[in-house]
Amino acid sequence: MVNLILYGTESSPSVRAVLLTLRALKLDHEFHTLDMQAGDHLKPDMLRKNPQHTVPMLEDGESCIWDSHAIIGYLVNKYAQSDELYPKDPLKRAVVDQRLHFETGVLFHGIFKQLQRALFKENATEVPKDRLAELKDAYALLEQFLAENPYVAGPQLTIADFSIVATVSTLHLSYCPVDAAKYPKLSAWLARISALPFHEEDNLRGARLLADKIRSKLPKQFDKLWQKAFEDIKSGAGKQ
């Protein structure tokens, strides 16, 4: 019997990557929402389980695992009936791992977290142009990743898609919509992932919650861009 408990908050891109993986593997699980503002993640029991007090954290029986990339790889390795989502072939796995490192190093920590810090901690009155330029460069790299394949690590859906879409959909709905004219492959990939039957519940809903919060802090000129981005991803515009 699988006894999985996921701790986190629905708005977190990292948590949503795990939710997408759990759903793709059809694994029964409990989701325990943590109120980060209230310090739920800093309570003694949580610190005992996860000294880094980060989300997501997965509890599997007596074992606790944190960091979304570690969790989603673990779930496939332990519970998947096949290796499509995280191939065992060394080269194919290396490509997936590279995309996962790209997500954490470039998209999440390098861009998303820096934008969040500027907006919510430094109270910036406008989005830093240098960070937006870096984001567009990242979109261009993703466009190259998708040049010959429908998914970011090759011809098949993998955990790299779940990790990257959780962050990119948030950036797309808030700071910088993906321009389908400039990034047609990336736009089509977003629409392709959005067509998954569990995407709405396990990613888009949380991405919209976070985008609403970000939008409330953004200058008003971003309103029309944000609304168009949400309508596009909801309708599947750009799907090929």
Side-chain angles (χ1 to χ4, degrees):
M1 178 180 177
V2 177
N3 185 25
L4 299 172
I5 303 174
L6 180 65
Y7 297 85
T9 175
E10 186 181 19
S11 62
S12 163
S14 302
V15 172
R16 285 184 266 119
V18 179
L19 288 170
L20 287 167
T21 304
L22 285 164
R23 189 61 67 92
L25 293 172
K26 300 180 180 179
L27 293 174
D28 292 334
H29 62 280
E30 297 178 21
F31 181 57
H32 290 193
T33 299
L34 297 181
D35 186 338
M36 308 294 281
Q37 298 298 319
D40 285 354
H41 58 309
L42 299 175
K43 292 180 178 178
D45 185 56
M46 293 303 298
L47 288 175
R48 178 181 59 80
K49 295 176 179 179
N50 175 8
Q52 285 187 269
H53 50 81
T54 54
V55 296
M57 185 189 77
L58 180 75
E59 192 170 353
D60 185 2
E62 297 298 317
S63 301
C64 294
I65 307 162
W66 56 95
D67 184 277
S68 63
H69 309 87
I71 293 171
I72 59 182
Y74 167 83
L75 288 170
V76 176
N77 286 333
K78 184 171 182 179
Y79 293 110
Q81 299 298 309
S82 63
D83 71 340
E84 281 92 348
L85 286 175
Y86 195 30
K88 293 179 181 178
D89 176 83
L91 180 57
K92 292 179 180 179
R93 176 160 290 202
V95 175
V96 174
D97 287 341
Q98 186 278 324
R99 304 306 195 244
L100 292 173
H101 288 303
F102 178 81
E103 189 281 327
T104 188
V106 176
L107 292 172
F108 190 78
H109 286 289
I111 298 173
F112 175 70
K113 293 290 284 186
Q114 298 304 317
L115 286 168
Q116 291 290 90
R117 181 175 292 109
L119 200 63
F120 291 95
K121 292 186 177 180
E122 299 171 3
N123 294 314
T125 56
E126 62 181 34
V127 179
K129 293 181 180 179
D130 57 339
R131 296 300 180 192
L132 287 180
E134 291 173 1
L135 177 54
K136 291 177 182 178
D137 287 343
Y139 284 170
L141 285 170
L142 287 168
E143 184 75 10
Q144 292 183 52
F145 294 167
L146 291 158
E148 297 180 0
N149 290 291
Y151 300 103
V152 296
Q156 293 182 323
L157 181 73
T158 69
I159 56 174
D161 293 285
F162 296 152
S163 183
I164 289 175
V165 79
T167 300
V168 168
S169 60
T170 303
L171 292 163
H172 172 67
L173 290 172
S174 54
Y175 292 107
C176 184
V178 172
D179 186 336
K182 291 181 179 179
Y183 316 108
K185 299 288 188 180
L186 180 56
S187 179
W189 170 80
L190 273 175
R192 191 173 299 118
I193 302 299
S194 72
L196 294 172
F198 46 83
H199 180 264
E200 171 78 29
E201 180 178 353
D202 294 309
N203 183 53
L204 187 56
R205 186 173 65 188
R208 190 181 186 186
L209 288 173
L210 182 53
D212 281 341
K213 184 178 180 181
I214 294 170
R215 184 189 177 205
S216 70
K217 296 278 289 185
L218 287 173
K220 291 300 182 184
Q221 62 262 34
F222 279 77
D223 282 0
K224 290 183 179 180
L225 287 174
W226 182 91
Q227 188 61 38
K228 182 180 185 301
F230 180 74
E231 290 172 354
D232 285 350
I233 199 171
K234 183 74 173 177
S235 66
K239 188 174 181 179
Q240 293 181 355

